Each structure stands twice: as structure tokens, then as C-alpha cells.
Amino acid sequence: MAMNQLAHAAEFRKALADYHPSELTKQVLQSVRLVLLVGPTSSGRNTLVNELVKSGDFYHIVADTTRERRKKDGEYIEEDGREYWFRSEEDILEGVRKGEYMEAALIHSQQVSGCNVRELEAAHKANQIAIKDIEPNGAQFIHKLKHDAIIIFTVAPSFDIWMERMHERGQMAPDELDRRMESAERELSTALKCDFYRYFVNDTLEGATAEVNRLVLHNHYDPFRERLARDTVKRLYDEVEVYLGDRARHSLNWR
């Protein structure tokens, strides 16, 4: 069987089709302060989470996943409990059926990932604020369960800087960039329609960290900065639309 092929795909689809967390999971969820970071690819969510955790005020929620740890040159480059908790399909499927996840999703029919209640319990026990980067669908699902969750949508300050950040880890094939832009288009569009996001521009790590701390720890909210950040989201969305339109015309010209 291929590395990322699910043996229990049909069972996961059935279990996740109308997923509801258990009452215990809902109770634990209500007992913790929760911050979720949403944003398109290369918006700096993971880096921001890692920086915030250094203060000791935040507990990084690490999701479970069915996929295997990645290797390079025969050595694991991911650690259990750092990138993910790497668990068997059977364990995660049982947890889904018992409602032990605050959210879980089947991703590209290749893996299932989700936030297990035990991570929330650990955050509560440590008296820390639970924090996690998450996809828009997961954020929307959790918002329905926990209206006081702080959900932040973060973006780069400009399209050019965003592209620079996206290419920092190496040259990217055009088709991969196209896929990321298509996903970003959907995520930016969703963000502009949501009424529960707080919009942040991730200009510098130091500035973004300070801004999140002001909001979460001191309840400091600046409507003017919020409007500017939302304008940036709209501008990026427009520029992604232009990019995808140009790519589509280029593709037609080669046919």
C-alpha cells in the first residue's frame, strides 16, 4: 500500500460525514481559552505560533494525523508531538467515533488529521492559552462550538513579499504554485465573507507577535488597524485573481 493511502478511507468518510464532538469534548473546549491562526500558504502561521509559545503563556495544540513521518536520506525529519502526533488509522478512527476531536478532516483522501481533546486537557492543566494554526473549514467548525475562540486571519503585507516568502524554501514548480494560489483564492474569499475573524498583517515576526499578545492577553483591539488589515486581505485576493487569470490565458495560448 502506498505511503499516504488510507486503508479505512470509507469508514473515515462515514464517521466524518456528520461529525459531532462528544459532550465531554465540548465541555473541555469551553474550559480553555483558545486562539486559532488561519491564513493562506506562507502567511507565517507556524512561525508565529512557535514564537508566541516561547513566552510561556500559550500551549501549542498539536494535531493527530494518520500519515507517516517524513524522511530524508533515510532519517526522520519530523518528531512525534512536534509537527503532529503520528497515530495509527485504527486509533484515530476510534477517537472520531467516540467524538474525541474538537475537529477532524479527511485531507485529499490520503490522510485524516484532527485536534484531540487530550491536547485541550493538557492546555487547561497547564493553565495556558491553547493556540493552533488551522484551515478555514476547521476554524468555522470550531467557531460554531466556541463563540469566544479568538480566530485570527493573517497575511503578508504585500503580494511581492508573499511571493518572496513562498519561494524562500527553494524553487517551486509552476504547477505547484498554481495549486497554492488556487487554494489561497478560496481562503482569502472565505476570509472576506466571515464576520468572526480578526485580521492581522504579518509584516515582521516581532510586530505580529506583539499585536497578537495585545489582543489575546490585554484585549486590546484597534478598529483602524483592523480595517487596514482587511483591506490588505482584499488587495491580495484581487492580485491572486489577476495571477490566476493570467495563468489561464497563458495556458489557452499554448493549446
Side-chain angles (χ1 to χ4, degrees):
M1 185 174 64
M3 178 179 173
N4 287 328
Q5 182 180 340
L6 284 168
H8 301 286
E11 295 164 273
F12 273 118
R13 288 192 185 93
K14 182 178 179 180
L16 291 169
D18 189 28
Y19 178 71
H20 296 286
S22 69
E23 288 304 313
L24 176 59
T25 298
K26 291 179 184 178
Q27 290 172 16
V28 176
L29 181 59
Q30 298 306 324
S31 72
V32 298
R33 292 189 66 191
L34 179 63
V35 178
L36 302 174
L37 293 182
V38 187
T41 179
S42 300
S43 59
R45 292 176 297 163
N46 287 325
T47 303
L48 187 52
V49 168
N50 291 336
E51 190 66 20
L52 288 162
V53 167
K54 291 178 182 178
S55 70
D57 294 312
F58 295 88
Y59 181 96
H60 184 196
I61 297 293
V62 179
D64 289 355
T65 188
T66 59
R67 77 162 173 80
E68 296 181 15
R69 286 192 290 165
R70 292 193 175 101
K71 289 183 177 180
K72 184 177 181 180
D73 300 326
E75 300 289 335
Y76 286 116
I77 59 173
E78 294 179 312
E79 293 182 13
D80 198 35
R82 187 179 66 187
E83 286 82 9
Y84 286 98
W85 291 108
F86 298 93
R87 304 181 64 201
S88 70
E89 288 189 35
E90 292 77 11
D91 282 348
I92 293 182
L93 182 58
E94 181 181 6
V96 169
R97 286 171 171 165
K98 290 180 177 179
E100 294 177 352
Y101 290 86
M102 68 173 180
E103 61 86 28
L106 176 64
I107 303 168
H108 305 308
S109 298
Q110 294 179 329
Q111 71 186 65
V112 173
S113 298
C115 305
N116 193 285
V117 66
R118 70 176 183 280
E119 286 286 275
L120 298 174
E121 291 172 330
H124 181 69
K125 184 177 180 180
N127 195 30
Q128 292 174 312
I129 301 163
I131 189 168
K132 188 185 188 315
D133 67 292
I134 197 167
E135 300 305 310
N137 288 341
Q140 188 165 14
F141 183 84
I142 293 171
H143 171 71
K144 292 177 181 178
L145 296 170
K146 185 175 177 62
H147 292 298
D148 64 351
I150 297 174
I151 305 178
I152 296 169
F153 192 87
T154 181
V155 292
S158 72
F159 188 83
D160 289 343
I161 292 174
W162 185 25
M163 292 300 100
E164 288 175 10
R165 291 177 180 177
M166 203 174 296
H167 289 287
E168 278 178 355
R169 295 180 180 176
Q171 189 63 34
M172 189 182 304
D175 59 340
E176 173 63 19
L177 181 57
D178 289 351
R179 284 193 293 270
R180 292 193 181 201
M181 288 293 98
E182 288 166 0
S183 294
E185 180 188 34
R186 292 190 295 270
E187 291 159 351
L188 292 164
S189 175
T190 298
L192 291 167
K193 296 172 185 174
C194 282
D195 60 359
F196 55 82
Y197 281 140
R198 288 283 177 257
Y199 303 94
F200 277 39
V201 173
N202 191 354
D203 192 351
T204 66
L205 180 58
E206 181 181 11
T209 301
E211 197 167 349
V212 173
N213 276 321
R214 282 194 293 269
L215 174 64
V216 177
L217 301 180
H218 307 293
N219 198 30
H220 177 76
Y221 169 65
D222 186 337
F224 178 71
R225 291 179 67 90
E226 176 92 355
R227 287 195 298 272
L228 291 178
R230 193 182 188 283
D231 288 345
T232 301
V233 174
K234 178 63 168 62
R235 187 167 60 253
L236 290 175
Y237 173 76
D238 291 341
E239 292 181 88
V240 169
E241 290 275 273
V242 170
Y243 171 89
L244 292 174
D246 288 345
R247 291 293 296 175
R249 284 189 291 273
H250 177 76
S251 178
L252 286 172
N253 290 336
W254 276 92
R255 290 181 181 178

